Amino acid sequence: MNQRLVTVVTAVHAPSAPFLAEAYESIRAQELPAGWDWQWVIQEDGVSDTVRQAVPEDPRISFGQGRPGGPGVARTMGLARAEGAFLKVLDSDDMLTPGTLARDLAVLTRSPSVGWTTSRALDLFPDGSTKGFDQDPQDGPLERGEVFRHWRANDHRPQVIPGSLCVRTELVLALGGWMALPASEDTGLLLALNTVSRGWFIREPGLYYRKWPGQVTSQAPHVDKEERAARAAVAEARVRALEALGGWRFPSSVATATGG
């Protein structure tokens, strides 16, 4: 893998295709450290001309399509084309804030004991206004198990936004990618990451989270308590299984001794 490349991975379906142009501009505007570059892996959840025609022309973009299976499946399929040592998640209807990739990479490159970062997100409304969350953690490390404990104690609400994740690619591959769930697939990966590695929360906003009538979360059919419970149960079972393995942790003792 290219150690000076960050792969932005995006799952997209036809209704959100019109937003790809703004997502692209937010990536293109990023200022990276000298010698670094980005790759954008776009994976359609399905096969349509609508999405294909909306993909910008740029040699740094890798586009793929496949049978529909949800955003988690699409992102995991996109991993086959990821060339960077670091992965940045970006939903197709969201945008990166200026400087977010540089901030993510600064943490991950200076701290070998940190496996992933998340950052503050701002809700972006159709009129252009934004609103933040007033209960974000402080800037700094998130120790192993911390995110999981918060999730369990707060009605399965994650402590940080999984849609702002930046992570070492090797960790995502080792954990098998995103969970094959109809929803909460990104939370499931976040909980697994926090079980095996330390994270870091960046208080400066790193994501504009678009609010619009067609977003998947707002159009999802009624989900009964049984499905919600099943999603939470399988995510927790994954965490417990990783805990039971005991010895599998990131990083190795050698890497831990070098700093972070």
Side-chain angles (χ1 to χ4, degrees), residues 245-256:
L245 290 174
W248 194 68
R249 295 287 183 265
F250 175 88
S252 68
S253 57
V254 173
T256 302

Side-chain angles (χ1 to χ4, degrees), residues 230-255:
R231 294 203 315 259
V234 72
E236 180 166 347
R238 189 187 197 187
V239 168
R240 299 299 186 194
L242 287 167
E243 289 176 334
L245 290 174
W248 194 68
R249 295 287 183 265
F250 175 88
S252 68
S253 57
V254 173

Side-chain angles (χ1 to χ4, degrees), residues 120-123 131-137 150 158-159 161 203:
R120 191 163 182 251
L122 298 176
D123 288 343
K131 182 180 180 180
F133 181 60
D134 62 2
Q135 297 181 34
D136 287 313
H150 182 279
Q159 181 182 18
I161 304 299
R203 183 81 179 182

Side-chain angles (χ1 to χ4, degrees), residues 139-252:
D139 193 285
L142 296 168
E143 301 299 338
R144 285 195 298 105
E146 182 177 343
V147 175
F148 175 64
R149 290 189 293 271
H150 182 279
W151 177 81
R152 286 205 74 207
N154 290 273
D155 194 29
H156 301 144
R157 293 185 177 89
Q159 181 182 18
V160 291
I161 304 299
S164 66
L165 182 69
C166 188
V167 57
R168 300 180 192 275
T169 305
E170 62 183 333
L171 269 175
V172 177
L173 292 170
L175 291 168
W178 286 262
M179 297 190 76
L181 296 173
S184 305
E185 77 292 332
D186 51 359
T187 298
L189 174 60
L190 177 66
L191 296 177
L193 286 167
N194 181 234
T195 304
V196 301
S197 65
R198 300 171 73 224
W200 193 281
F201 182 72
I202 300 172
R203 183 81 179 182
E204 190 167 349
L207 181 73
Y208 290 119
Y209 179 74
R210 190 188 302 272
K211 297 287 190 178
W212 63 288
Q215 66 189 136
V216 173
T217 50
S218 66
Q219 288 196 333
H222 173 72
V223 178
D224 60 24
K225 291 182 179 179
E226 183 176 351
E227 182 187 306
R228 291 181 185 274
R231 294 203 315 259
V234 72
E236 180 166 347
R238 189 187 197 187
V239 168
R240 299 299 186 194
L242 287 167
E243 289 176 334
L245 290 174
W248 194 68
R249 295 287 183 265
F250 175 88
S252 68

Side-chain angles (χ1 to χ4, degrees), residues 78-119:
L79 283 176
R81 306 192 308 279
E83 299 174 4
F86 302 92
L87 287 176
K88 178 68 175 179
V89 176
L90 179 63
D91 285 347
S92 55
D93 51 358
D94 294 340
M95 293 181 290
L96 302 178
T97 64
T100 187
L101 290 183
R103 290 189 292 271
D104 288 328
L105 293 172
V107 172
L108 292 170
T109 55
R110 75 168 181 251
S111 303
S113 68
V114 173
W116 51 274
T117 68
T118 58
S119 56

Side-chain angles (χ1 to χ4, degrees), residues 1-6 35-36 83-86 105 109 168 170:
M1 288 187 178
N2 189 330
Q3 296 299 315
R4 289 186 173 270
L5 182 72
V6 55
W36 283 77
E83 299 174 4
F86 302 92
L105 293 172
T109 55
R168 300 180 192 275
E170 62 183 333

